[in-house]
Structures are given as structure tokens and as C-alpha cells.
């Protein structure tokens, strides 16, 4: 569903960089704020709106706050490496919480969005509930584990055999109109979070992962590490689980339980 009313906001990220934020759903006494952060190569529209997850969550009573990460979507995509210091995405999203005046909210993300969520928690964010989707423990403790793969794709565009993983990743990049230079710089922003820090998170947490997705290590291992977490398995692998209606349903089931 793509005919939801979407309100565009702009906040100032780290160093004042313009960050686009898409707000879906009414801000009323009955609705609850939910910040959702998209994955690498993607954007808020593709991750959350295009496949119906946003519509399902709005219907369940949430106002969605959907940033485009720097280097992605409608946010700034500078080509200067200096615009991509370590933990820049975390800085931007902590700024979002502050500038939008969020005090009682839920927080989550898919893949890089889940990693950014974990970094926000590690640096003091205080959402009531947390969603980590498309993410396993290794993807948080060894964040550049897949860095070589993405560097290869971004520096060898147009050379991959049809049907290969690299070819499909490049095809996805084309659909989101990704900027290869900016996305290469994004890899330099990744910061590891140690397992003991993750084990200390007290928020009720949903770990949602495709049955065939081990791109970021074991989601079961991640769920087992946290004291108040619930594991949801949905169909699909890392690239297509985000398109499945079961993702939005698992989020609604967890947040409204």
C-alpha cells in the first residue's frame, strides 16, 4: 500500500547535515510513536511503506517516524569522506529523537537499521520497546564482516553475472537509486557493540528474521543473549524477508501484545 498520507520533515543530523524524515499516521492521544530505521542500500519508503508494513502499523495505532539515513533516500549524500565519521548514523538518529521531541516511543530497524538501533541503545536511547529485524549477533559484534562483499559490489558495478548475489544486490541498488560513493563511505561509520553491552539491554525486544537469513549471523543467538526478548521467524532470506507481509504482522503482534 503506497497511498498513505506521508508528511515530510527535515532534521539536522551530525554537523547539520539535512536528514529527511517521513511521518506516517496521525499524532493523537491514542497513537504511539514508533521510529523505524531502514537497511543499507534502501530507504524509508522501500523498507516500510512499499510492502504494506506501515499501513498495518498505522492501523494498529502507531504514528511512524521513518528517517532516510545519511547517504540514502532523500537525505544528504555528500561524497566527502569527512561526512561519514564513526557512528554518524547513530548521531543522526539520536538527533532525530531530540529534535522531534520524542520521550515515550518505540524503536526498531531492519539490518543496518537494527544495528543503528543497537548503537542508539548502547549510547543511552530509552525507547519503551525495541524491534531488531534482519540481524544476528555477529552483525552487531563484527560489523564489517560483510564489508568486503559490499565494497566489491560498489566498486565493480556492471560486471556481475545475472542471477548471482552480487548482481541482485546491484539490481536492488538501482531500484532505490542508491549513490555508490556515499554508500561506500557509509561502511566507515560502522561501530561494533560488544555482547556484554547487548546482554545488558532491558527493554522488551522482538528479534525478527527470515528463516533463510544468516547474513548477519544467528538471530537466535541474539535473541538468547537479551534478558527480555522474543524471537519471530518469518519466511525469506535477507533480501526478500523485508518484502513479506509476515514482517509487518510480527511487528504488530509484538507491539500490541
Amino acid at each position: 500500500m503506497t497511498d498513505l498520507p506521508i508528511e515530510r520533515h527535515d532534521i539536522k543530523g551530525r554537523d547539520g547535515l539535512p536528514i529527511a524524515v517521513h511521518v506516517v499516521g496521525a499524532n493523537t492521544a491514542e497513537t504511539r510513536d514508533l521510529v523505524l530505521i531502514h537497511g543499507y542500500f534502501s530507504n524509508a519508503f522501500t523498507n516500510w511503506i512499499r510492502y504494506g508494513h506501515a499501513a498495518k502499523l498505522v492501523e494498529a495505532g502507531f504514528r511512524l517516524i521513518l528517517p532516510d539515513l545519511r547517504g540514502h533516500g532523500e537525505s544528504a549524500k555528500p561524497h566527502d569522506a569527512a561526512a561519514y565519521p564513526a557512528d554518524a548514523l547513530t548521531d543522526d538518529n539520536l538527533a532525530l529523537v531530540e529534535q522531534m521531541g520524542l520521550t515515550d516511543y518505540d524503536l526498531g530497524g531492519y539490518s543496518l537499521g537494527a544495528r543503528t538501533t543497537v548503537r542508539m541503545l548502547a549510547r543511552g536511547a530509552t525507547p519503551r520497546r525495541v524491534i531488531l529485524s534482519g540481524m544476528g549477533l555477529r552483525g552487531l559484534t563484527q560489523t564489517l564482516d560483510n564489508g568486503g562483499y559490499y565494497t566489491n559490489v560498489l566498486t565493480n558495478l556492471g560486471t556481475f553475472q545475472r542471477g548471482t548475489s552480487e548482481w541482485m544486490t546491484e539490481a536492488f541498488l538501482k531500484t532505490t537509486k542508491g549513490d555508490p560513493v556515499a554508500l561506500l563511505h557509509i561502511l566507515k561509520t560502522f561501530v561494533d557493540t560488544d555482547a556484554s553491552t547487548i546482554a545488558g539491554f532491558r527493554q522488551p525486544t522482538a528479534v525478527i528474521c527470515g528463516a533463510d537469513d544468516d547474513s548477519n549471523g544467528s538471530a537466535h543467538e541474539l535473541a538468547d543473549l537479551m534478558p527480555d526478548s522474543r524471537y519471530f521467524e518469518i519466511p525469506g532470506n535477507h533480501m526478500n524477508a523485508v518484502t513479506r507481509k509476515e514482517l509487518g504482522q510480527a511487528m504488530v503482534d509484538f507491539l500490541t501484545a
Side-chain angles (χ1 to χ4, degrees), residues 174-240:
K174 290 175 183 172
T175 68
T176 60
K177 298 181 172 61
D179 183 317
V181 176
L183 290 168
L184 268 175
H185 288 319
I186 286 286
L187 293 171
K188 299 173 186 133
T189 69
F190 294 177
V191 174
D192 294 347
T193 305
D194 61 74
S196 62
T197 298
I198 298 166
F201 297 155
R202 299 296 170 198
Q203 287 92 344
T205 301
V207 176
I208 308 171
C209 199
D212 302 315
D213 179 8
D214 60 358
S215 289
N216 289 298
S218 169
H220 284 285
E221 199 177 353
L222 173 59
D224 289 345
L225 183 62
M226 291 178 289
D228 188 1
S229 66
R230 183 176 166 196
Y231 178 75
F232 295 81
E233 184 172 281
I234 61 174
N237 58 33
H238 195 68
M239 286 293 288
N240 63 32

Side-chain angles (χ1 to χ4, degrees), residues 9 65-66 95 105-106 119 134 158 234 250:
H9 294 252
I65 298 162
L66 312 174
Y105 64 99
D106 299 320
R119 292 301 308 149
I234 61 174

Side-chain angles (χ1 to χ4, degrees), residues 8-186:
R8 163 74 181 264
H9 294 252
D10 287 279
I11 63 147
K12 291 183 177 179
R14 180 190 171 100
D15 304 329
L17 200 76
I19 301 296
V21 182
H22 312 278
V23 178
V24 186
N27 184 15
T28 70
E30 287 74 40
T31 54
R32 177 166 181 80
D33 288 334
L34 170 60
V35 179
L36 288 177
I37 307 171
H38 66 78
Y40 190 46
F41 276 41
S42 193
N43 52 53
F45 177 84
T46 300
N47 239 157
W48 307 120
I49 298 170
R50 183 176 181 185
Y51 299 105
H53 312 315
K56 195 167 287 194
L57 286 156
V58 167
E59 187 181 352
F62 292 88
R63 179 178 78 134
L64 306 185
I65 298 162
L66 312 174
D68 283 336
L69 294 169
R70 74 169 54 202
H72 295 75
E74 296 175 18
S75 290
K77 305 180 187 70
H79 285 189
D80 181 1
Y84 300 89
D87 237 10
L89 307 181
T90 311
D91 291 333
D92 292 341
N93 283 283
L94 291 172
L96 178 154
V97 170
E98 181 182 355
Q99 290 172 41
M100 296 199 69
L102 306 180
T103 54
D104 184 18
Y105 64 99
D106 299 320
L107 172 66
Y110 189 86
S111 193
L112 176 55
R115 183 181 297 148
T116 305
T117 296
V118 164
R119 292 301 308 149
M120 291 172 71
L121 295 172
R123 289 183 48 191
T126 56
R128 189 166 79 180
R129 294 168 299 197
V130 173
I131 293 171
L132 304 178
S133 54
M135 182 52 62
L137 183 59
R138 191 190 70 230
L140 301 171
T141 61
Q142 302 173 51
T143 53
L144 272 176
D145 196 57
N146 293 328
Y149 171 84
Y150 288 111
T151 299
N152 178 47
V153 170
L154 289 165
T155 54
N156 293 286
L157 296 171
T159 68
F160 304 111
Q161 185 175 346
R162 175 178 286 272
T164 61
S165 171
E166 292 83 356
W167 182 87
M168 288 188 286
T169 300
E170 180 178 352
F172 180 63
L173 177 70
K174 290 175 183 172
T175 68
T176 60
K177 298 181 172 61
D179 183 317
V181 176
L183 290 168
L184 268 175
H185 288 319
I186 286 286

